[in-house]
Amino acid sequence: MALRFLKTITRSILCFGATLLLSSTANAEFTHPGVIHGQDGIDFVKAKIEAGKEPWANEWKELNESKFSSLSWKPEPRKLVERGPYNRPDIGSSEFSQDSFAAYTHALHWAISGEVAHAEKAAEILDAWSGTLETITNHDAKLLIGMNGHNYVVAAELLKHTWDGWPEEKQERFGKMLRNIWIPLVENYYPTANGNWDAAMMQTMIAMGVFLDDQEIFKSATDYFIKGHGNGAVRNYFSETGQCQESGRDQAHTQMGLEFLANTCETAWVQGVDLYAAFDNRLLKGFEYTAKYNLGFDVSYEPYRSVEGRYYYRRISDDSRGRIRPMYAKVFNHYHNRMKLDAPFTKMAVERSRERSRTRASLYWDTLMFAKLPGGKKAEK
């Protein structure tokens, strides 16, 4: 008993010490493009496609065949967007989401192919929304910005820093939309909601910080990831075993939360901040636990109450079990390819998701962009 206690205390001290050494502030100047995709990663993927290497060649073909890359896409902006619980009512919410996927897909297409028509289409979508939107409201407003606002900001970052055809005044108008409409809604997160809410808002907050060249916004997201009060902060969302706060709710929401946290970590990594390593690679433990369970293996489960006791799931949920969300590639790439750590169940989930999963990730084209990436800028610890 004494030995077990000593080991627990020692592990806690080591984790705490590692966290203290973790800088949550990016370098004095942000790297651009630098929201989820750095230029070295884009160049790497482009070279793989040109060489006809798999899985990139097939994934690129799929992107080109997607409705979201169609040059006939027409944005459908709204002045007022409402998203109620579980998207009921849906007043412009679905249009906001669908246009976000298209904006990201076209911007990514441009960054890889150099085809100006796709840059123009991405700009058309961004400009339509920044010139129209006045309010996002109702119960799920924060969640909508968190889930899909991220796609718009990735698209805007790619255009701003890889194309000279997006007028500066339109870039500024997009930035004003972020500051005046989006940030006031998500800057305080939602600590007592299931953790995927906070996780979604973190990915968009860190993205907006980079796009706006605003260190304070960037640091808000990285600080919340490490030491936030809410369910989405990494040490609240996962126990030391990797069990997730939402594991007893259902597997769909659990995997959503994992994806959003991974997106936050990848943007931070591009900017020289290593959130992936926080609390003894807690995110990897969460991915391994969740992948293992969804691949059909047994896992341990211990009921625990969420922040402020709002949620208490007595047993692990098999709701949506086995529906592998295609969002494991970037995490496997980081921990295994970059850091040389074992991630066997995450690897299996990556392979399973390439068998054409029945579900989609929030950030499309995960395999295309994260099947394997170079290390990029060495992140601070």
Side-chain angles (χ1 to χ4, degrees):
M1 180 69 73
L3 180 59
R4 187 191 311 167
F5 177 77
L6 180 59
K7 286 181 178 179
T8 301
I9 292 297
T10 301
R11 188 186 306 116
S12 298
I13 291 171
L14 288 173
C15 290
F16 182 64
T19 303
L20 287 178
L21 291 173
L22 180 66
S23 171
S24 62
T25 305
N27 295 328
E29 293 184 2
F30 286 105
T31 295
H32 295 294
V35 179
I36 210 77
H37 306 304
Q39 189 61 52
D40 59 343
I42 294 169
D43 292 341
F44 177 86
V45 171
K46 183 177 180 179
K48 293 294 185 183
I49 293 170
E50 290 174 348
K53 299 292 186 181
E54 295 296 350
W56 299 275
N58 187 64
E59 292 296 318
W60 178 243
K61 179 176 180 289
E62 184 176 338
L63 183 150
N64 276 272
E65 293 174 350
S66 166
K67 66 178 182 179
F68 296 120
S69 70
S70 171
L71 291 173
S72 64
W73 185 273
K74 297 297 182 185
E76 299 184 67
R78 300 284 195 275
K79 285 187 177 182
L80 169 67
V81 171
E82 281 196 49
R83 179 184 165 107
Y86 297 97
N87 208 21
R88 294 189 295 271
D90 173 2
I91 303 174
S93 171
S94 291
E95 288 79 5
F96 183 88
S97 299
Q98 293 291 298
D99 278 345
S100 82
F101 300 139
Y104 171 58
T105 300
H106 282 290
L108 191 59
H109 197 304
W110 147 255
I112 293 172
S113 71
E115 295 178 21
V116 174
H118 289 283
E120 292 172 342
K121 181 57 68 174
E124 178 188 342
I125 298 167
L126 297 176
D127 294 344
W129 279 95
S130 68
T132 304
L133 183 66
E134 294 180 358
T135 304
I136 301 178
T137 189
N138 215 314
H139 183 273
D140 282 13
K142 291 173 177 282
L143 184 62
L144 181 63
I145 294 172
M147 289 192 302
N148 300 128
H150 182 246
N151 295 318
Y152 286 104
V153 184
V154 179
E157 174 76 1
L158 288 172
L159 289 191
K160 182 177 181 179
H161 297 286
T162 66
W163 182 48
D164 60 4
W166 194 22
E168 188 172 335
E169 62 268 23
K170 296 295 179 63
Q171 296 177 32
E172 292 175 355
R173 190 175 75 185
F174 183 82
K176 287 180 180 178
M177 177 182 69
L178 303 186
R179 289 192 182 277
N180 297 336
I181 301 174
W182 294 17
I183 291 174
L185 276 169
V186 300
E187 63 184 346
N188 295 320
Y189 305 95
Y190 193 164
T192 62
N194 279 298
N196 77 86
W197 283 62
D198 278 349
M201 286 180 264
M202 270 185 274
Q203 69 169 0
T204 299
M205 280 290 285
I206 197 170
M208 291 190 291
V210 174
F211 176 80
L212 295 168
D213 282 300
D214 192 316
Q215 286 282 354
E216 185 177 345
I217 296 172
F218 181 93
K219 193 171 186 297
S220 167
T222 55
D223 280 354
Y224 199 90
F225 181 95
I226 298 166
K227 56 188 177 184
H229 170 64
N231 288 311
V234 68
R235 62 179 173 180
N236 295 335
Y237 203 50
F238 306 111
S239 70
E240 290 187 4
T241 67
Q243 179 183 319
C244 181
Q245 179 259 316
E246 295 189 86
S247 295
R249 181 188 184 192
D250 62 60
Q251 300 309 306
H253 284 94
T254 298
Q255 291 181 88
M256 285 171 60
L258 268 66
E259 180 192 356
F260 301 148
L261 291 177
N263 291 342
T264 299
C265 287
E266 188 65 20
T267 292
W269 179 267
V270 174
Q271 298 303 330
V273 176
D274 188 358
L275 296 181
Y276 279 116
F279 299 101
D280 193 26
N281 300 312
R282 187 71 64 91
L283 184 69
L284 174 59
K285 293 177 180 178
F287 266 78
E288 282 289 283
Y289 178 98
T290 301
K292 182 177 181 179
Y293 181 66
N294 280 278
L295 288 164
F297 298 94
D298 292 333
V299 294
S300 62
Y301 184 80
E302 181 179 348
Y304 67 95
R305 295 194 181 278
S306 67
V307 169
E308 298 184 14
R310 184 173 178 181
Y311 301 106
Y312 183 72
Y313 303 117
R314 296 183 179 278
R315 59 187 62 84
I316 195 165
S317 174
D318 62 2
D319 186 343
S320 302
R321 186 182 186 184
R323 295 183 184 177
I324 302 293
R325 191 175 176 89
M327 50 79 178
Y328 288 84
K330 71 174 66 67
V331 168
F332 182 72
N333 176 68
H334 177 78
Y335 288 110
H336 182 77
N337 296 334
R338 287 174 180 159
M339 309 309 294
K340 311 305 179 188
L341 298 175
D342 290 333
F345 296 106
T346 302
K347 180 181 180 181
M348 291 171 65
V350 169
E351 293 167 348
R352 180 73 61 83
S353 70
R354 291 179 187 171
E355 298 170 3
R356 293 295 168 258
S357 171
R358 290 175 291 169
T359 172
R360 269 290 183 187
S362 177
L363 186 71
Y364 275 44
W365 321 120
D366 188 75
T367 298
L368 174 67
M369 298 308 298
F370 301 104
K372 187 174 183 181
L373 282 178
K377 180 189 295 184
K378 183 175 177 59
E380 297 174 354
K381 291 186 178 180

